[in-house]
Amino acid sequence: MKVARWTPESPLDLSRSIARHARYGPNLLNVVSGEYLYRTTIAGIPYRIRQLASGDIEVGAPRSLDRAVAESRYRLGAMLPVEPLLDVSERVPAVADQLCRAPGYRPPLNPSVAEVLVTSICSQQVNMRWAATTLNRLVERYGEPLELDGIRLWRFPSAERLAAAREADIRAMQLTTRKSSYIVGLGRHLVAGDLDGLQHESNERALQRIMAIRGLGRWTADWFLARCLGRPDAIAAGDLGVRKVVSRYVAGVDEVLAEPDVRAATDSWGDGGNWAIHLLLERWADGRIQNRRKSRGANRGP
């Protein structure tokens, strides 16, 4: 095992940042065990990360350590600018409050084009727990099982395997007919190189190229900008969860704002938008968890 470490330039709380990986049930791609997060690089090399008492992030891998370090930095948002987020927090009390509660939280970024887009397809119009279930089934069928430190984890399916899959086999995993078709079609586009070089495109051009693929609409494209390309100003304004948190924590209204109104409410956030929205989503998730605990306590009685 080769080991390296890197120092975050701003506060980073690894445990808080990776907690969402276990929020919706077992996660075959991001395995949290003890103090470590295990996963693979895009090239399929397993690695692990943990946070040291100094705050540094330690990365361990059997080979390709430089690549593992680079990907760990990306996944933990090392490139996201802090100053624009602090500017948003000065104008939006809910963002400031969540920053106080979780100062080291980082948005869940992922440099794998295939993984982000397929995950989005699985998540279309279903709850997150069911999306995680169907994604796990897809990964077990078409991915590659690996092991590190006795921990079993999976490499995400290659574009070639997805492109060659039978739609009927994907439907058997309880994905819809349309989603099965979208996943196979996406695999073929990836093999053909139709989505190569997106990291070099402007936001608008990247949106256009993604939405040109059957089954990938604005919702998917916006989340892709935010979580795969790591664009600091990207906000998935059409997402129901995003609409809810902006309605409650920014606009202070009970009704759920429409997408155009969410875009208008967050237009001035600039390069702090991506991080700020993820903080508000975590605030919402924290509230739901607390409410469930209170409900269980009330049900138990005295």
Side-chain angles (χ1 to χ4, degrees):
M1 177 76 68
K2 300 178 181 179
V3 176
R5 66 171 65 179
W6 57 273
T7 302
E9 295 181 4
S10 60
L12 193 162
D13 184 338
L14 180 64
S15 62
R16 180 76 189 224
S17 300
I18 65 177
R20 72 184 313 275
H21 293 316
R23 186 173 292 160
Y24 306 110
N27 188 319
L28 302 182
L29 299 168
N30 300 278
V31 180
V32 179
S33 179
E35 60 184 334
Y36 289 103
L37 169 69
Y38 292 85
R39 70 152 297 130
T40 75
T41 64
I42 295 176
I45 306 301
Y47 68 96
R48 70 187 190 196
I49 63 175
R50 67 169 176 168
Q51 188 158 31
L52 303 176
S54 64
D56 286 359
I57 301 299
E58 180 191 86
V59 184
R63 58 189 185 281
S64 301
L65 181 60
D66 288 346
R67 173 50 54 187
V69 169
E71 288 199 19
S72 73
R73 290 178 60 88
Y74 194 94
R75 290 179 182 279
L76 292 172
M79 84 295 276
L80 291 175
V82 176
E83 289 303 320
L85 173 67
L86 297 179
D87 179 65
V88 174
S89 73
E90 290 178 357
R91 293 179 284 124
V92 183
V95 173
D97 184 60
Q98 189 63 18
L99 261 178
C100 289
R101 297 183 188 188
Y105 173 78
R106 299 301 181 90
L109 305 188
N110 186 338
S112 170
V113 174
E115 187 176 330
V116 171
L117 290 178
V118 171
T119 299
S120 289
I121 291 172
C122 290
S123 302
Q124 291 172 0
Q125 299 180 326
V126 298
N127 66 61
M128 293 303 296
R129 188 168 292 275
W130 181 246
T133 297
T134 54
L135 180 65
N136 281 342
R137 291 172 181 173
L138 192 75
V139 169
E140 284 186 307
R141 176 65 185 269
Y142 298 106
E144 177 186 356
L146 299 166
E147 189 172 292
L148 185 64
D149 295 342
I151 301 294
R152 186 177 177 83
L153 65 157
W154 293 75
R155 179 186 183 184
F156 192 78
S158 67
E160 289 76 13
R161 291 214 67 188
L162 295 176
R166 294 176 64 246
E167 292 180 21
D169 292 336
I170 298 179
R171 286 199 302 273
M173 302 173 199
Q174 293 184 282
L175 282 149
T176 66
T177 298
R178 283 189 177 183
K179 288 183 180 181
S180 303
S181 176
Y182 295 162
I183 290 169
V184 174
L186 172 63
R188 292 170 181 169
H189 280 290
L190 290 170
V191 170
D194 295 338
L195 292 177
D196 288 354
L198 284 170
Q199 69 273 23
H200 304 303
E201 303 279 18
S202 67
N203 284 3
E204 190 57 39
R205 178 56 183 158
L207 287 170
Q208 292 173 359
R209 288 182 61 189
I210 294 165
M211 291 189 294
I213 306 297
R214 180 172 172 268
L216 307 184
R218 181 61 188 263
W219 177 83
T220 299
D222 277 339
W223 275 128
F224 183 87
L225 289 186
R227 289 181 172 168
C228 188
L229 298 186
R231 299 292 166 87
D233 59 340
I235 294 175
D239 180 82
L240 181 58
V242 171
R243 290 169 57 207
K244 286 181 177 179
V245 298
V246 171
S247 301
R248 174 176 292 187
Y249 301 129
V250 182
V253 297
D254 292 330
E255 67 269 20
V256 179
L257 295 177
E259 180 177 345
D261 296 323
V262 171
R263 293 194 184 280
T266 59
D267 183 62
S268 67
W269 293 10
D271 285 348
N274 188 351
W275 200 336
I277 282 293
H278 278 92
L279 281 166
L280 294 182
L281 289 170
E282 282 298 295
R283 182 184 179 91
W284 182 278
D286 288 347
R288 289 170 62 90
I289 291 170
Q290 290 171 5
N291 288 339
R292 284 198 296 268
R293 288 173 178 168
K294 289 179 182 178
S295 177
R296 286 197 295 267
N299 291 336
R300 282 195 294 267

